[in-house]
Amino acid sequence: MPFEGSSNVRSGGKRMTVTSSVKSAEEFKVLLADLTGLTGSLSDDVTVALEKLLTTVGPATSVDRQKVQSIFYGRLNQKLTLNKAATANLYSKAAKVGVTFNYPTKKAISWAIDTLNAKDLEVILTSAWPGHAQHSVGLEELHPVSHEQTKKALQLEAVKPSKLRKAHSRQVVDDVLNAAAGPLVWSVWEPRNLHQYFQEQTGGVPYTGEYLQDLQLQSPQLFNRDHALAATFVGSRDASKDYKSLRAELTTWLSSEYSKLNNYGFLSVIIDAQEIQEAWQLACDLVLYGEHFIESPVKNMFFRWREVMRETMEHLPHIDAEKAQFELANEGYTYRDQFVLVDESGKQQRLVLLMQKNQRDETPVPCPACRSSEIAGNSYPTLGVKSWECSNVLCPERSIYNRGKRYSFKALLSQAAIEHPSNEIPVESVRRWQRDVLPFKTDGEILHMLVSHYSMVGDGAFFYNVPEQADQEIRAQGRHYTLVTRGVAAADTDRFWTSPLFHRFSSVPSSPIKVDHDEPTAPLKAQPDWQVLQGDSVQVLAEMPPDSVDRAITSPPYFNAREYSQWPNLYCYLHDMQAIAREVFRVLKPGAVYAYNIFDTFDNERIITFSDMGKKRISLSAWTVDAFRRVGFTLRGNLVWDKGEIHGKRGFNSGNFSPFYQSPFNCWEHVLLFQKPGGRNDDLNTDLLENSRSVARIHPVVKIIRGENRHGHTAPFPQELPERLLEGLPQGALVLDPFGGSGTTARAALQAGCRSVIIEQDESYVALSRRLIEEHQNGMATSQGTLFI
């Protein structure tokens, strides 16, 4: 007999619900059609799965129609995010009076709204926001969607899909109906019975009730957290070591810790910028080594080395493919963040590097939603992190177009950190560390942050070479601490710096440009106040005589960050930047400085894979330091450009006050100060190099006004920055900018009484820079004339 549904009747003034049952796949289909209003057909595999479920678990005998509707439409609301506005309204009301909710509370609030459960919402808010009633916060005031609206939204998706790429290419009515079968199954039968059924049906361990507990019984190695955090201090006891010895010691430590660190564990290097002379050189080298020290032929479809080699060789035909060995992948830690801590005067005190171990792990992980081990695993959301896709056709979390739920153990671990109350990080700590440039207090506070932000209660943490005062400040926090002295024996890590990785971009051009520099070139003969030269920087610089420029200042294009800065892959970009740096090195006077503003971007290097899985934080600064060192430059320091508060507030922690989710706003950029060796001991660079361990807080250029770029260039840097980088130069000194852009460096040079030569390849930017420089020069003349009068 078909499912008759239920009706509400009144008896003695009370509302009662008539119940019924689902005894066959046909009755289930009738109910599904009634609740969705869709006329599609269920696939054979869904029908077979339903019949097997009915045979093994048994029919649902006491089906409460009202309860089924609430849960079923609630799950659809989650899939379609139909109550996004309602929940945002509640959070906005709360934020206005200083009330915030943690992730578990937000999850409970969303479910109460999606299921139209006013009673549950009241209970949650009474606990999390005792004064909510005074602010008219309740289910009625939030205006969530009704069951009928949910039903109509589902029907619309079936005929006009809004979340599907190439929506016109296929009909999705049947997909939407089949995707709705899972949520209905989990609304009709008890979830506990279904969990047990799917877990045991597909060969999982016996069901205990807790997903992570069952998973731990099945795969205990996944949960080993005895070495989940490692950190080392580099300070006074290392100051007397020569640079190569210290680097070898620390790269050996990085390699050793990788083998000990639990997967998805964190590693940190804390460098005392006052004690370690080459602090920034060391920071860059450790990031570069840490991310690439494992060299092996990866037997996986995502490693596209043949395409990488082809693209690179087309751009750089003189690269020696035999030495480059493109078939070898370079892997290691994942670079996560870098904090700069400063004193009251703006002097850099500590550099805190943060990396994470994300090692590919093929251990099967059952679906957290339905507990089924009927899974497929052929994808990686990010490099090193394996994801799985649930193949259970009755899983409640299939997408609206009937794709299986994707998940990874790393995400499950992060979720576990959220849901365990003891892991919650104090609000003041989250706010204190939300920017990556901040005041330095104590080394103990740094350790306290690393523990609470990047490990869980019960984890093992290993701290190396901890200063005595920091040792005394460490709080228990429910972790297991081990204090260790870092070993000094160094393995053969020097080979890394001559490995095939660097042969893929760093080489001497096969046909170096030859120019007779006996006679000064025409552009420099007249020695005008400024010149904007159009063309490729390597070609234009080749026309300039050697040892003729007093200082170079630039902000180069960032790898694939703008429409005008596109390269096939990172190797091609680094080669081109190095080729220009080689010419800049030649034209600089001995002892002159090259100030190089660069930002660590988030993109795909395109040296492993071309898909979104390759997107990551790219340490352009670390690559730059290595490439420029091979040209002959010496890194003298890094003037940190602090751009101030971030306006967007996106990408921080998504409102989660728990470990693994704390990702500070990237508020600063590097201004790497390279020096050409040699020259007499003069005072030209003293002022600038004294600032090489400082922080300059300068607001970026506001170029977008009411949606329009009023500046003309998509990535200008503020004039105040090159003005600061010109300190110490005498009147008439010659300044070079090989990436002229909108002429900011030239305008700053005029302001400082210096001459300038800027090079720009784009014709429109050449015109823009000439116009802006002329306007600035005319403005200076007018100002001086007014003062004279």
Side-chain angles (χ1 to χ4, degrees):
M1 177 180 177
F3 183 89
E4 297 178 353
S6 64
S7 61
N8 294 317
V9 298
R10 291 191 177 276
S11 175
K14 294 184 178 180
R15 191 183 181 102
M16 300 180 63
T17 304
V18 177
T19 62
S20 186
S21 61
V22 175
K23 298 179 181 179
S24 68
E26 288 305 314
E27 289 185 2
F28 179 89
K29 292 177 182 179
V30 171
L31 177 59
L32 182 64
D34 181 36
L35 293 178
T36 63
L38 297 175
T39 57
S41 58
L42 285 182
S43 61
D44 291 342
D45 56 349
V46 173
T47 301
V48 170
L50 281 169
E51 291 172 345
K52 190 174 182 180
L53 173 68
L54 284 158
T55 301
T56 308
V57 178
T61 55
S62 298
V63 178
D64 182 332
R65 172 71 177 235
Q66 192 173 4
K67 181 180 177 182
V68 166
Q69 285 181 293
S70 176
I71 297 173
F72 176 69
Y73 289 126
R75 288 187 179 277
L76 294 183
N77 288 336
Q78 288 183 327
K79 290 181 189 292
L80 297 168
T81 61
L82 296 180
N83 283 314
K84 186 177 181 179
T87 53
N89 185 16
L90 188 154
Y91 300 150
S92 177
K93 288 175 179 287
K96 287 179 181 178
V97 293
V99 175
T100 58
F101 307 109
N102 58 25
Y103 179 84
T105 302
K106 284 185 174 181
K107 187 177 178 181
I109 287 172
S110 294
W111 181 242
I113 293 174
D114 283 332
T115 56
L116 300 181
N117 196 322
K119 183 178 179 181
D120 281 1
L121 182 62
E122 177 66 22
V123 171
I124 296 165
L125 293 181
T126 299
S127 173
W129 182 8
H132 71 280
Q134 303 172 14
H135 302 277
S136 300
V137 179
L139 198 60
E140 291 183 1
E141 289 81 9
L142 297 175
H143 305 294
V145 294
S146 66
H147 291 341
E148 191 61 31
Q149 288 173 315
T150 302
K151 187 174 181 179
K152 288 181 179 179
L154 183 72
Q155 293 169 354
L156 185 61
E157 285 295 332
V159 296
K160 191 176 180 181
S162 64
K163 303 176 184 295
L164 188 67
R165 294 178 183 176
K166 300 180 181 179
H168 62 278
S169 63
R170 79 171 204 256
Q171 297 296 315
V172 298
V173 176
D174 288 348
D175 292 325
V176 173
L177 183 65
N178 281 276
L184 184 55
V185 164
W186 291 79
S187 305
V188 171
W189 279 272
E190 285 296 322
R192 180 180 179 86
N193 296 339
L194 293 172
H195 280 144
Q196 183 173 3
Y197 165 68
F198 287 118
Q199 182 168 310
E200 296 180 352
Q201 179 200 34
T202 53
V205 297
Y207 178 76
T208 66
E210 291 294 331
Y211 170 77
L212 289 178
Q213 181 177 323
D214 290 352
L215 180 57
Q216 189 166 7
L217 291 172
Q218 178 177 309
S219 305
Q221 75 280 6
L222 291 175
F223 290 84
N224 184 13
R225 303 282 299 172
D226 60 348
H227 204 113
L229 175 66
T232 187
F233 280 86
V234 185
S236 57
R237 70 178 74 182
D238 303 299
S240 61
K241 300 172 184 175
D242 69 89
Y243 180 75
K244 283 196 172 182
S245 297
L246 178 58
R247 185 180 70 176
E249 178 183 321
L250 287 165
T251 51
T252 301
W253 179 78
L254 285 175
S255 306
S256 175
E257 282 301 302
Y258 190 87
S259 63
K260 301 173 187 175
L261 198 64
N262 305 138
N263 209 10
Y264 314 123
F266 285 85
L267 176 140
S268 180
V269 181
I270 305 159
I271 303 174
D272 187 329
Q274 293 298 308
E275 292 284 350
I276 304 301
Q277 186 67 27
E278 302 92 349
W280 281 104
Q281 177 81 53
L282 185 62
C284 290
D285 281 353
L286 292 180
V287 169
L288 198 58
Y289 179 88
E291 282 206 291
H292 303 95
F293 74 96
I294 300 174
E295 183 182 82
S296 63
V298 175
K299 304 297 182 182
N300 202 303
M301 289 178 61
F302 66 71
F303 182 31
R304 310 285 293 277
W305 70 268
R306 288 182 177 84
E307 288 96 323
V308 173
M309 180 175 69
R310 177 183 55 77
E311 286 187 344
T312 306
M313 298 297 291
E314 286 177 358
H315 191 83
L316 313 172
H318 56 274
I319 291 293
D320 188 332
E322 186 175 341
K323 291 182 179 179
Q325 296 186 55
F326 286 95
E327 70 275 12
L328 297 179
N330 289 84
E331 303 175 290
Y333 296 95
T334 300
Y335 172 49
R336 286 289 302 268
D337 281 302
Q338 182 171 2
F339 294 92
V340 179
L341 286 81
V342 301
D343 62 17
E344 293 180 355
S345 65
K347 293 290 184 183
Q348 302 164 15
Q349 297 296 315
R350 299 291 185 271
L351 311 180
V352 181
L353 305 180
L354 189 67
M355 293 183 268
Q356 187 176 23
K357 179 178 178 179
N358 293 312
Q359 188 176 44
R360 288 189 304 279
D361 192 330
E362 302 294 331
T363 304
V365 177
C367 175
C370 67
R371 312 294 176 87
S372 172
S373 292
E374 189 180 343
I375 57 177
N378 60 354
S379 63
Y380 293 80
T382 57
L383 287 170
V385 180
K386 176 67 176 275
S387 73
W388 302 92
E389 181 175 333
C390 180
S391 301
N392 177 14
V393 294
L394 297 182
C395 179
E397 294 193 8
R398 295 183 73 80
S399 76
I400 199 65
Y401 308 121
N402 207 28
R403 286 294 305 270
K405 173 185 173 65
R406 289 183 182 269
Y407 58 93
S408 67
F409 180 72
K410 181 182 179 182
L412 295 175
L413 195 65
S414 300
Q415 185 71 21
I418 287 179
E419 295 180 352
H420 200 299
S422 62
N423 287 316
E424 188 165 330
I425 306 168
V427 175
E428 58 271 18
S429 180
V430 171
R431 290 175 178 168
R432 156 83 171 138
W433 293 90
Q434 69 178 356
R435 298 179 78 249
D436 54 6
V437 180
L438 67 162
F440 172 65
K441 292 182 179 178
T442 66
D443 289 320
E445 189 209 22
I446 296 173
L447 285 179
H448 186 79
M449 178 275 293
L450 291 173
V451 168
S452 60
H453 289 220
Y454 300 102
S455 73
M456 295 190 294
V457 168
D459 285 356
F462 287 74
F463 297 137
Y464 295 78
N465 290 23
V466 176
E468 185 177 350
Q469 63 273 23
D471 179 5
Q472 298 170 357
E473 291 182 57
I474 299 176
R475 304 174 190 175
Q477 296 178 268
R479 278 72 166 178
H480 306 289
Y481 296 96
T482 303
L483 301 181
V484 190
T485 300
R486 193 179 63 245
V488 296
D492 183 19
T493 60
D494 280 349
R495 178 192 169 279
F496 171 78
W497 307 102
T498 58
S499 67
L501 174 67
F502 300 100
H503 286 281
R504 296 167 197 164
F505 71 87
S506 185
S507 66
V508 177
S510 56
S511 302
I513 299 169
K514 296 181 179 179
V515 177
D516 183 4
H517 295 294
D518 292 339
E519 184 71 19
T521 56
L524 294 181
K525 280 183 178 179
Q527 294 189 336
D529 291 337
W530 58 271
Q531 297 175 83
V532 179
L533 306 179
Q534 183 180 357
D536 176 84
S537 288
V538 173
Q539 300 288 337
V540 176
L541 286 167
E543 297 294 329
M544 294 178 62
D547 306 335
S548 58
V549 174
D550 295 292
R551 186 166 295 170
I553 299 171
T554 198
S555 182
Y558 302 160
F559 171 67
N560 290 5
R562 302 285 177 179
E563 71 283 351
Y564 58 80
S565 58
Q566 296 294 309
W567 280 264
N569 60 46
L570 186 64
Y571 298 141
C572 299
Y573 169 81
L574 291 171
H575 177 276
D576 289 354
M577 296 301 105
Q578 188 184 54
I580 294 169
R582 185 179 288 111
E583 286 299 314
V584 172
F585 183 87
R586 185 184 61 78
V587 302
L588 282 175
K589 295 177 180 178
V593 170
Y594 185 14
Y596 197 83
N597 167 221
I598 194 72
F599 183 61
D600 293 340
T601 60
F602 186 88
D603 208 329
N604 187 346
E605 296 172 321
R606 294 178 60 85
I607 61 177
I608 296 289
T609 185
F610 301 150
S611 67
D612 283 349
M613 68 173 285
K615 288 188 175 181
K616 51 172 287 200
R617 181 169 179 173
I618 306 175
S619 183
L620 292 180
S621 57
W623 283 107
T624 297
V625 167
D626 179 84
F628 282 28
R629 178 172 53 203
R630 294 172 191 273
V631 165
F633 279 112
T634 300
L635 181 67
R636 293 298 303 274
N638 184 6
L639 175 64
V640 169
W641 171 22
D642 181 0
K643 297 183 292 185
E645 296 295 331
I646 299 296
H647 296 291
K649 300 296 183 187
R650 293 180 297 177
F652 174 40
N653 66 359
S654 301
N656 296 321
F657 292 82
S658 56
F660 307 125
Y661 286 90
Q662 307 311 310
S663 182
F665 296 123
N666 300 138
C667 300
W668 61 278
E669 296 191 16
H670 304 262
V671 183
L672 301 168
L673 301 177
F674 296 101
Q675 188 172 31
K676 179 176 178 177
R680 66 186 189 280
N681 292 323
D682 56 36
D683 298 327
L684 288 184
N685 302 313
T686 301
D687 292 341
L688 178 60
L689 294 179
E690 281 183 355
N691 289 325
S692 65
R693 293 170 183 263
S694 299
V695 171
R697 187 158 192 175
I698 302 172
H699 198 281
V701 174
V702 178
K703 59 183 183 294
I704 304 297
I705 301 175
R706 296 178 181 176
E708 180 185 352
N709 188 334
R710 300 292 180 87
H711 181 82
H713 194 281
T714 58
F717 63 171
Q719 185 173 317
E720 187 180 346
L721 186 60
E723 284 179 356
R724 182 159 180 171
L725 297 172
L726 289 168
E727 290 179 353
L729 286 182
Q731 296 280 311
L734 182 60
V735 179
L736 168 70
D737 187 341
F739 301 98
S742 59
T744 308
T745 298
R747 298 197 298 277
L750 280 173
Q751 201 71 35
C754 297
R755 297 176 297 122
S756 64
V757 173
I758 72 171
I759 305 169
E760 175 54 50
Q761 188 166 349
D762 187 278
E763 184 178 356
S764 63
Y765 287 152
V766 168
L768 172 66
S769 60
R770 285 173 177 163
R771 176 175 63 80
L772 293 176
I773 296 168
E774 287 175 354
E775 289 176 358
H776 185 81
Q777 191 171 33
N778 292 337
M780 288 177 58
T782 300
S783 175
Q784 291 169 359
T786 302
L787 290 174
F788 178 78
I789 292 173

